[in-house]
Amino acid sequence: MLGRLAAKRLLEIRQVFRQSPSQASRSFSTALNYHLDSPDNKPDLPWEFSEANKSKVKEILSYYPSNYKQSAVIPLLDLAQQQHGGWLPVSAMNAVAKVIEVAPIRVYEVATFYSMFNRAKVGKYHLLVCGTTPCMIRGSRDIESALLDHLGVKRGEVTKDGLFSVGEMECMGCCVNAPMITVADYSNGSEGYTYNYFEDVTPEKVVEIVEKLRKGEKPPSFNGLRVAYPHGTQNPKRIKCGPEGGNKTLLGEPKPPQFRDLDAC
Amino acid sequence: MGVGILASRAIRPASRLLRSQPSNLFLRTIVSKPELQSPEAAAVSQPEPPKNQILPPRNPVGGARVHFTNPEDAIEVFVDGYAVKVPKGFTVLQACEVAGVDIPRFCYHSRLSIAGNCRMCLVEVEKSPKPVASCAMPALPGMKIKTDTPIAKKAREGVMEFLLMNHPLDCPICDQGGECDLQDQSMAFGSDRGRFTEMKRSVVDKNLGPLVKTVMTRCIQCTRCVRFASEVAGVQDLGMLGRGSGEEIGTYVEKLMTSELSGNVIDICPVGALTSKPFAFKARNWELKGTETIDVSDAVGSNIRVDSRGPEVMRIIPRLNEDINEEWISDKTRFSYDGLKRQRLSDPMIRDSDGRFKAVSWRDALAVVGDIIHQVKSDEIVGIAGQLSDAESMMVLKDFVNRMGSDNVWCEGTAVGVDADLRYSYLMNSSISGLENADLFLLVGTQPRVEAAMVNARICKTVRASNAKVAYIGPPADFNYDCKHLGTGPDTLKEIAEGRHPFCSALKNAKNPAIIVGAGLFNRTDKDAILSAVESIAQANNVVRPDWNGLNYLLLYAAQAAALDLGLIQQSAKALESAKFVYLMGADDVDVDKIPKDAFVVYQGHHGDKAVYRANVILPASAFTEKEGTYENTEGFTQQTVPAVPTVGDARDDWKIVRALSEVSGVNLPYNSIEGVRSRIKSVAPNLVHTDEREPAAFGPSLKPECKETMSTTPFKPVVENFYMTNAITRASKIMAQCSAVLLKK
């Protein structure tokens, strides 16, 4: 009888290890906390900022005091990541370390701390699904499994054509328009880098977006190019974060404060 | 839920008949008392201490002395009701230490910067809403600190519970068991049970080299190793990668710890994450006998504790000595002990006519040597003391050789013409701890990182603490602090001496400039010219003053300072070439080819290193861990080694062998015991008898006559080619061989 109890407990322990595919490795960063050499990610591969980015580097450095160059590590790593197609090889981190004049390990520490610094390859379009509670209860798990099934990859993997990868993000602030995904577009280097939210998605809509991206229809860039489909809410009945069918509140001018003369300032 | 409770639940129906039995036989119920629910309730239940109690006087922890830089700035705080005066700027933890209360901590280390991430040092401070991290909180006047209240105790138990949550159950296989901070503090301050039932996280082990073994799962992320590597060792290799419970200490890319101070992270790590690889699984710390002695691998004389089990040295650990090595030792000191077990000479040997050595008894060996020595002319006798010789044996050797009529006795590393008249010309005159007051360093022909790692650590500390500048003349070398490379040879020195170099202005403006000259320069033919150039620089820039003497000479070998004090200097350059009887007392760096083919060579030493192969007679001696010997370090501090293990085979102490030889040769030396030797030393160099005292040089450079020679243009050469293999013991050590194969920068 004790044997039965032991077997039951063993089964429970085994279940902890055997996880369902969609819940596999709920880890947020795309890589390990130590570096493994691979043919395109080695410390001796040369890497430097492109000519256009070198002037951006100078501009970024000018935001910080000249004796605190190391404060620029995060924007510089971001720029390097955009330039390299969405991920940071070790040589890029070493190059950033040289620019800000610190030991490389300090840059590695920053890059491993933040999960948005990808230290392994990601797709040209890195799709990030918000998994925090408001989105989750509105079905972000279904969105994620729809994406993963459609693309045929697991979380953190890149599709065979190198176009897509799926990751999980924390709350991006669109809880009113939950669930949502973000498309980080690394297909054009740092000049064409865009980071757009697609909100109020459904599993079908998200597949539609993926197919549009695959065909080459770009998500809109920051200076508002008119494209076939907009970012933001994908629910045609909503305007931004308002409810379907238009606002029911905030229809008129709000009541002014009783005692303060706003026009006086 | 454990099987036990389920089982007990299942068994209970069967024991219905035995229900009269008390249930605590099967079920372990945790009885909760009001005091355990909250610290406030516990405080209520404790009896109030009687007011106006006369508290007994307290001493600072560990017998430490409190140094008040500004006596008017002292503040008074109350620790557990006891008033203490502490200097301003002390933290709460330091104030408690002055009051004799040792607060548990993991991440705080007195020689590293404050991190405050372990939270074990939490104490209760009156009027503070939360317990306060005492290692980081500055002590304010009138603060009432309480370290033994229920809040502080509950904080400690909680922190310990959290630390143990992800810590693996490795105690039986962990080398740190028995000397583990986590073990000790959980016994003293932790609770006896945990509530963690999830899966523990594990971390991949990192490869840091052949010296440091890493089991990163045991790491509690205190970051002491990260701070040590970047502050004390000056190499920024380690970092904390990732965040949260998945944090890992590592180098990210696979990088070995090549720093010469890398072994100290083993002492610093409070748990068994970083341990000594050569010592892995060899012994537990309670089986080891610790002997406090001195290291002889370089001229620094770091204080060490030799841990031995029976006749074997198991490991070497540093000892605290604020003036010399603080709490650190170099890797060579720490890991060369396994050379003491290999290639040892254990029996006297005589080389037969067929060229092979035959083991003989002491009587025969000494008789042969005593015989031969009378067959040569007095000035054909040469005695050379090795770099590991102690002062007693060098005194006896000198006396013996002198009584045989010869003046040719010197120590390795001192070429012809080295002046031993004035002590300032071969000592570190500002003392090693005095280097901390320098604000400008000029290193001439010396690479302190490989010659004397602890002096280098002190320079690194000064550079870090007070932003001192370092300039260097010599071959390109690597430094772990910012160093300006001025030039490679004597011409740069000449320019500075004549005032033409841009560096001269920095020298003039420095308040306490320190010039460190390497003893490797003593072997150059233009040594006098170089040293007089250095002295003229010193004089022109006020380097030598009554309150500050910055003219330093960094010696290379442990025996050199004592040898120069006792007068073992090389008088003539041709002495070795025309010798017929050569007595090598542990001298392995002698150029064996210079010894004539028909000379009779006696080698007295502990390792069969290089010079043994030329010897005609071998007399086995004891190594530094097996004898009591006096060594003087490069700053003139006299220290004594203590025998930790018995010597090997039939070996004897060096001085005893020479004394016995003198008896057999008929020139009986007038002493028979070590006290006799020491009283003889007292008449020659009395500072060598005052152990644990530093005797500064009495006279300064103004006494030296002018030098008329010119400097040659050959650039300075590095003296130490391979940091890991510099003496007989390190050359015999397997660990040092591994290090030099793997860790040296190519």
Side-chain angles (χ1 to χ4, degrees):
Chain A
M1 181 206 355
L2 268 175
R4 241 191 297 139
L5 290 165
K8 190 163 134 215
R9 180 64 186 142
L10 203 57
L11 211 63
E12 285 172 22
I13 295 177
R14 281 227 187 95
Q15 264 175 4
V16 170
F17 280 119
R18 207 189 311 130
Q19 288 159 330
S20 50
S22 68
Q23 289 186 336
S25 63
R26 298 201 134 262
S27 61
F28 299 121
S29 74
T30 54
L32 311 156
N33 281 332
Y34 48 91
H35 171 73
L36 293 169
D37 275 348
S38 70
D40 52 356
N41 191 356
K42 273 196 292 221
D44 44 6
L45 288 174
W47 192 95
E48 47 170 42
F49 281 108
S50 64
E51 288 311 316
N53 281 343
K54 279 202 181 120
S55 47
K56 274 206 207 139
V57 165
K58 268 211 256 301
E59 188 200 335
I60 290 175
L61 283 174
S62 71
Y63 297 153
Y64 304 95
S66 56
N67 56 338
Y68 279 111
K69 283 212 188 98
Q70 56 195 48
S71 316
V73 61
I74 294 181
L76 287 177
L77 279 174
D78 192 28
L79 188 62
Q81 181 169 281
Q82 292 164 21
Q83 177 182 315
H84 202 79
W87 64 287
L88 284 169
V90 159
S91 32
M93 293 195 263
N94 290 344
V96 170
K98 241 207 281 283
V99 168
I100 56 176
E101 292 163 18
V102 295
I105 184 74
R106 305 289 148 223
V107 176
Y108 302 150
E109 281 178 327
V110 173
T112 48
F113 186 93
Y114 294 104
S115 47
M116 281 182 83
F117 286 130
N118 306 311
R119 282 168 291 112
K121 218 160 162 60
V122 294
K124 287 224 191 74
Y125 300 102
H126 190 47
L127 310 165
L128 296 156
V129 184
C130 172
T132 323
T133 324
C135 282
M136 188 208 83
I137 57 183
R138 293 279 295 152
S140 76
R141 297 254 173 104
D142 296 328
I143 307 285
E144 196 183 347
S145 36
L147 275 176
L148 293 175
D149 290 334
H150 177 79
L151 294 170
V153 290
K154 289 210 271 289
R155 201 200 280 190
E157 275 180 24
V158 186
T159 53
K160 290 251 177 359
D161 49 5
L163 279 177
F164 298 105
S165 51
V166 180
E168 181 171 341
M169 260 302 273
E170 291 306 306
C171 177
M172 297 187 252
C174 314
C175 316
V176 171
N177 298 8
M180 52 86 73
I181 68 164
T182 302
V183 173
D185 175 10
Y186 294 112
S187 54
N188 268 346
S190 27
E191 295 83 32
Y193 173 66
T194 60
Y195 190 78
N196 287 307
Y197 292 177
F198 292 86
E199 304 151 15
D200 281 320
V201 292
T202 58
E204 301 78 34
K205 192 75 188 170
V206 107
V207 169
E208 228 181 271
I209 295 177
V210 164
E211 288 314 313
K212 281 206 183 123
L213 288 172
R214 198 197 290 276
K215 280 198 290 236
E217 291 178 24
K218 294 262 175 250
S221 70
F222 196 58
N223 42 26
L225 281 176
R226 201 65 74 89
V227 288
Y229 62 96
H231 60 268
T233 177
Q234 305 293 302
N235 186 342
K237 299 204 204 88
R238 290 178 80 166
I239 303 176
K240 299 231 177 151
C241 48
E244 281 183 12
N247 277 3
K248 297 275 187 337
T249 56
L250 299 177
L251 292 168
E253 274 290 315
K255 243 173 38 181
Q258 282 180 295
F259 304 111
R260 221 175 99 218
D261 186 6
L262 285 176
D263 292 330
C265 330
Chain B
M1 291 226 278
V3 182
I5 297 196
L6 289 175
S8 60
R9 250 204 233 147
I11 293 174
R12 240 194 291 160
S15 66
R16 222 164 297 179
L17 299 165
L18 304 165
R19 216 193 269 274
S20 51
Q21 292 265 5
S23 55
N24 56 11
L25 272 189
F26 291 113
L27 268 180
R28 235 180 335 136
T29 51
I30 300 175
V31 176
S32 189
K33 299 194 272 275
E35 294 90 73
L36 295 174
Q37 304 284 24
S38 73
E40 292 75 27
V44 160
S45 69
Q46 272 187 353
E48 280 287 326
K51 298 245 188 317
N52 298 332
Q53 205 180 26
I54 310 282
L55 296 157
R58 297 200 199 180
N59 293 320
V61 166
R65 296 163 299 193
V66 188
H67 172 65
F68 287 85
T69 24
N70 238 346
E72 305 87 43
D73 254 346
I75 53 179
E76 190 181 41
V77 295
F78 299 91
V79 176
D80 293 337
Y82 179 78
V84 282
K85 275 208 155 9
V86 294
K88 194 156 102 120
F90 259 32
T91 52
V92 170
L93 193 144
Q94 288 173 310
C96 293
E97 275 185 348
V98 171
V101 176
D102 203 1
I103 293 186
R105 82 292 293 264
F106 289 108
C107 71
Y108 172 78
H109 194 275
S110 50
R111 292 180 205 281
L112 304 174
S113 58
I114 295 177
N117 55 27
C118 73
R119 314 309 285 180
M120 192 65 188
C121 58
L122 295 173
V123 297
E124 187 184 345
V125 166
E126 207 165 291
K127 293 199 220 75
S128 166
K130 318 200 276 188
V132 139
S134 52
C135 66
M137 171 75 109
L140 304 168
M143 217 180 209
K144 289 200 180 32
I145 304 160
K146 292 187 272 217
T147 62
D148 54 358
T149 56
I151 289 186
K153 290 187 185 166
K154 179 173 172 154
R156 288 173 191 160
E157 283 180 19
V159 170
M160 189 51 74
E161 188 178 351
F162 274 113
L163 282 173
L164 290 172
M165 264 185 211
N166 264 328
H167 196 75
L169 306 177
D170 274 358
C171 288
I173 53 173
C174 175
D175 277 312
Q176 198 94 346
E179 43 185 22
C180 175
D181 279 2
L182 200 65
Q183 274 181 344
D184 298 339
Q185 287 180 27
S186 71
M187 285 301 288
F189 305 105
S191 78
D192 60 345
R193 61 202 77 178
R195 298 173 272 188
F196 187 68
T197 48
E198 322 299 324
M199 295 298 296
K200 296 196 181 208
R201 67 101 176 86
S202 58
V203 177
V204 155
D205 292 343
K206 313 293 186 297
N207 179 16
L208 291 180
L211 298 176
V212 180
K213 173 177 170 195
T214 60
V215 182
M216 298 322 287
T217 315
R218 301 175 189 159
C219 174
I220 54 171
Q221 292 93 24
C222 68
T223 60
R224 269 187 187 176
C225 54
V226 172
R227 284 174 282 141
F228 175 84
S230 72
E231 294 166 23
V232 179
V235 284
Q236 301 212 28
D237 275 347
L238 289 172
M240 178 71 91
L241 307 158
R243 64 171 191 263
S245 72
E247 276 183 322
E248 297 183 15
I249 295 273
T251 52
Y252 194 66
V253 286
E254 173 140 338
K255 202 167 178 210
L256 304 178
M257 277 190 86
T258 52
S259 163
E260 72 283 359
L261 295 178
S262 65
N264 293 300
V265 294
I266 298 170
D267 293 329
I268 266 203
C269 180
V271 295
L274 300 172
T275 48
S276 164
K277 212 181 232 180
F279 182 62
F281 307 129
K282 291 270 163 61
R284 282 295 189 195
N285 74 321
W286 57 81
E287 330 179 88
L288 303 173
K289 177 181 93 159
T291 313
E292 299 189 347
T293 174
I294 304 296
D295 161 63
V296 298
S297 64
D298 56 14
V300 171
S302 319
N303 288 189
I304 55 175
R305 193 186 85 200
V306 171
D307 281 346
S308 59
R309 181 176 60 185
E312 198 185 341
V313 171
M314 301 304 294
R315 68 175 176 182
I316 292 183
I317 301 257
R319 245 192 316 145
L320 174 65
N321 184 326
E322 285 290 350
D323 298 320
I324 301 176
N325 63 318
E326 295 183 295
E327 272 179 50
W328 321 122
I329 45 174
S330 70
D331 283 352
K332 189 164 54 170
T333 310
R334 191 186 286 267
F335 291 114
S336 54
Y337 59 85
D338 71 328
L340 291 167
K341 305 172 207 166
R342 295 182 71 237
Q343 302 276 74
R344 290 301 294 268
L345 302 171
S346 57
D347 289 305
M349 294 194 191
I350 301 186
R351 200 193 279 268
D352 244 347
S353 42
D354 62 350
R356 303 183 54 168
F357 280 108
K358 198 171 56 144
V360 296
S361 71
W362 272 105
R363 190 183 281 268
D364 295 335
L366 289 174
V368 163
V369 178
D371 219 11
I372 308 263
I373 202 170
H374 281 292
Q375 293 171 16
V376 298
K377 287 211 283 284
S378 356
D379 54 351
E380 291 170 343
I381 300 178
V382 166
I384 309 180
Q387 42 167 296
L388 305 177
S389 313
D390 53 332
E392 285 90 1
S393 41
M394 288 196 286
M395 183 79 259
V396 178
L397 181 68
K398 181 169 198 307
D399 276 350
F400 174 61
V401 171
N402 286 347
R403 283 203 185 206
M404 294 302 298
S406 161
D407 205 8
N408 301 324
V409 59
W410 66 85
C411 178
E412 267 183 340
T414 48
V416 182
V418 170
D419 201 355
D421 291 334
L422 300 167
R423 283 181 84 232
Y424 83 87
S425 61
Y426 55 83
L427 287 186
M428 184 155 274
N429 292 307
S430 63
S431 85
I432 299 179
S433 56
L435 285 178
E436 284 183 31
N437 299 327
D439 56 352
L440 178 68
F441 291 92
L442 174 62
L443 306 173
V444 182
T446 172
Q447 297 91 40
R449 198 170 180 185
V450 288
E451 289 177 18
M454 296 330 306
V455 171
N456 194 47
R458 201 63 82 135
I459 299 176
C460 186
K461 181 178 175 192
T462 316
V463 167
R464 213 194 133 75
S466 59
N467 234 346
K469 300 279 173 279
V470 183
Y472 167 70
I473 304 178
D478 207 22
F479 286 91
N480 46 354
Y481 35 81
D482 284 321
C483 175
K484 215 151 88 162
H485 191 180
L486 296 180
T488 50
D491 18 332
T492 324
L493 199 60
K494 196 146 71 158
E495 279 180 42
I496 301 181
E498 292 169 6
R500 291 185 280 133
H501 200 279
F503 180 68
C504 297
S505 55
L507 256 181
K508 275 216 180 0
N509 295 334
K511 272 211 309 267
N512 288 340
I515 306 178
I516 305 185
V517 182
L521 295 181
F522 290 175
N523 292 331
R524 287 173 67 102
T525 44
D526 56 348
K527 146 179 58 77
D528 288 320
I530 293 182
L531 294 179
S532 75
V534 170
E535 283 175 19
S536 59
I537 297 176
Q539 258 167 339
N541 294 295
N542 214 7
V543 176
V544 183
R545 309 188 296 258
D547 60 328
W548 166 256
N549 187 340
L551 182 58
N552 298 313
Y553 296 84
L554 184 58
L555 296 172
L556 295 167
Y557 306 130
Q560 256 179 322
L564 292 168
D565 273 358
L566 290 172
L568 274 82
I569 43 182
Q570 195 171 1
Q571 309 281 25
S572 85
K574 295 279 167 266
L576 195 55
E577 276 103 19
S578 60
K580 291 277 185 298
F581 178 91
V582 181
Y583 196 94
L584 300 172
M585 193 168 72
D588 285 297
D589 288 337
V590 152
D591 195 356
V592 175
D593 301 322
K594 279 221 203 114
I595 305 177
K597 292 278 178 290
D598 56 345
F600 186 84
V601 177
V602 179
Y603 182 84
Q604 172 187 317
H606 40 77
H607 273 81
D609 198 33
K610 289 194 231 166
V612 160
Y613 297 99
R614 169 67 186 85
N616 295 82
V617 173
I618 298 179
L619 301 174
S622 47
F624 77 100
T625 44
E626 300 149 8
K627 67 179 170 192
E628 194 184 327
T630 305
Y631 289 89
E632 188 185 347
N633 78 348
T634 181
E635 60 173 1
F637 197 99
T638 312
Q639 296 174 114
Q640 258 189 14
T641 55
V642 177
V645 288
T647 190
V648 169
D650 221 355
R652 302 276 194 275
D653 284 353
D654 290 272
W655 75 266
K656 290 182 185 164
I657 301 176
V658 185
R659 170 70 184 90
L661 183 58
S662 76
E663 185 87 13
V664 167
S665 322
V667 288
N668 308 12
L669 293 167
Y671 29 75
N672 281 329
S673 67
I674 200 159
E675 288 81 18
V677 179
R678 290 201 178 129
S679 57
R680 168 76 180 116
I681 292 180
K682 191 167 178 176
S683 62
V684 175
N687 60 307
L688 287 175
V689 191
H690 304 139
T691 40
D692 294 331
E693 265 177 42
R694 177 173 175 257
E695 178 80 28
F699 299 104
S702 49
L703 277 192
K704 216 168 176 182
E706 275 287 320
C707 166
K708 296 286 182 289
E709 292 174 25
T710 49
M711 292 192 256
S712 81
T713 47
T714 0
F716 297 142
K717 281 205 293 290
V719 182
V720 174
E721 297 287 347
N722 181 345
F723 168 70
Y724 295 105
M725 300 220 159
T726 50
N727 58 34
I729 302 179
T730 50
R731 281 190 285 256
S733 154
K734 267 200 202 140
I735 307 172
M736 292 289 109
Q738 263 181 307
C739 290
S740 66
V742 171
L743 293 179
L744 278 185
K745 294 189 193 7
K746 298 288 177 286

